[in-house]
Amino acid sequence: ETGVTQSPTHLIKTRGQQVTLRCSSQSGHNTVSWYQQALGQGPQFIFQYYREEENGRGNFPPRFSGLQFPNYSSELNVNALELDDSALYLCASSPEGAASNEQYFGPGTRLTVT
Amino acid sequence: AQSVTQLGSHVSVSEGALVLLRCNYSSSVPPYLFWYVQYPNQGLQLLLKYTSAATLVKGINGFEAEFKKSETSFHLTKPSAHMSDAAEYFCAVSDGSGGSYIPTFGRGTSLIVHP
């Protein structure tokens, strides 16, 4: 069984650009959540997808959007990047659907916006 | 609404000493509670979780935590620190309010282990 993987590991973008981050969940995990972890902070919930539908959203603007695919992969898209978007972005998958209380995290993508 | 407070952004111990990382939570219903560890440049790894069974929860790497409802606490302990325990530790609470089990994380405590 493979774990949760994310790509790329590091990324540098310029303010105003758009970025797509990718996550591959563990096989059979039909729920994926995305988090933003700023330096020195705990992870902040962005949104969750369950069976390809958005299932919950944190306090992030609409320029943060996502997709989940049938093959257990997902994407986080961020438009009009701002300097404050610089952070580690984590995805986490869950094995039992929307009500699962256990999450398996990937290693994260470090995004730097200049 | 659920929330979690981790007391102390940094905790420093000597190798072999007791490790105590503090976590207090706020929840309107009986919560699920978690401790995660994050090593540099890595994602979060689950150490242990409380799900309303035994109040003393044993996790990986010799860590354990005790759920104390009267104190709304879920402190993480380890009898003897190892150099390899140096990492960032996050406490998280999830109470299913509104039908969602999205966890709320604390700000983290950095554990420093001196030789």
Side-chain angles (χ1 to χ4, degrees):
Chain A
E1 178 181 291
T2 58
V4 179
T5 59
Q6 293 186 242
S7 62
T9 54
H10 296 86
L11 200 54
I12 299 174
K13 288 287 190 179
T14 303
R15 188 171 49 184
Q17 286 187 315
Q18 179 267 342
V19 69
T20 297
L21 310 182
R22 294 181 171 82
C23 171
S24 180
S25 302
Q26 289 192 211
S27 180
H29 288 197
N30 52 16
T31 301
V32 64
S33 302
W34 284 89
Y35 294 84
Q36 180 193 68
Q37 186 181 14
L39 200 61
Q41 304 290 321
Q44 297 293 313
F45 173 68
I46 303 175
F47 45 60
Q48 182 182 80
Y49 277 78
Y50 171 62
R51 294 188 175 179
E52 303 167 48
E53 298 285 333
E54 187 176 293
N55 187 49
R57 190 176 183 92
N59 190 26
F60 280 82
R63 59 189 185 85
F64 285 78
S65 63
L67 285 172
Q68 185 186 26
F69 303 101
N71 65 351
Y72 307 115
S73 67
S74 62
E75 291 180 353
L76 164 65
N77 298 288
V78 187
N79 293 323
L81 284 167
E82 300 177 359
L83 296 179
D84 285 348
D85 296 333
S86 294
L88 180 68
Y89 288 85
L90 298 164
C91 77
S93 68
S94 304
E96 296 171 359
S100 172
N101 55 54
E102 186 165 333
Q103 299 184 320
Y104 297 81
F105 283 81
T109 293
R110 174 76 61 187
L111 173 65
T112 302
V113 182
T114 61
Chain B
Q2 60 189 29
S3 66
V4 64
T5 302
Q6 292 185 240
L7 299 175
S9 58
H10 294 82
V11 169
S12 181
V13 300
S14 298
E15 191 174 19
L18 171 72
V19 174
L20 171 61
L21 304 183
R22 300 179 185 273
C23 173
N24 288 89
Y25 70 90
S26 174
S27 174
S28 56
V29 298
Y32 296 113
L33 293 160
F34 308 84
W35 275 100
Y36 286 87
V37 61
Q38 185 177 34
Y39 297 100
N41 301 313
Q42 294 188 26
L44 277 67
Q45 180 184 7
L46 181 66
L47 275 177
L48 49 81
K49 65 176 180 178
Y50 168 76
T51 57
S52 73
T55 56
L56 182 62
V57 182
K58 294 188 183 298
I60 61 172
N61 301 339
F63 284 93
E64 63 182 34
E66 186 172 8
F67 172 69
K68 292 187 176 180
K69 184 179 179 180
S70 60
E71 299 177 9
T72 61
S73 69
F74 190 57
H75 301 331
L76 181 70
T77 60
K78 182 175 180 178
S80 177
H82 214 266
M83 295 296 291
S84 60
D85 295 326
E88 193 81 16
Y89 291 80
F90 293 93
C91 181
V93 62
S94 169
D95 65 10
S97 54
S100 169
Y101 286 92
I102 305 301
T104 297
F105 288 83
R107 297 184 62 162
T109 298
S110 179
L111 177 63
I112 302 162
V113 182
H114 297 287

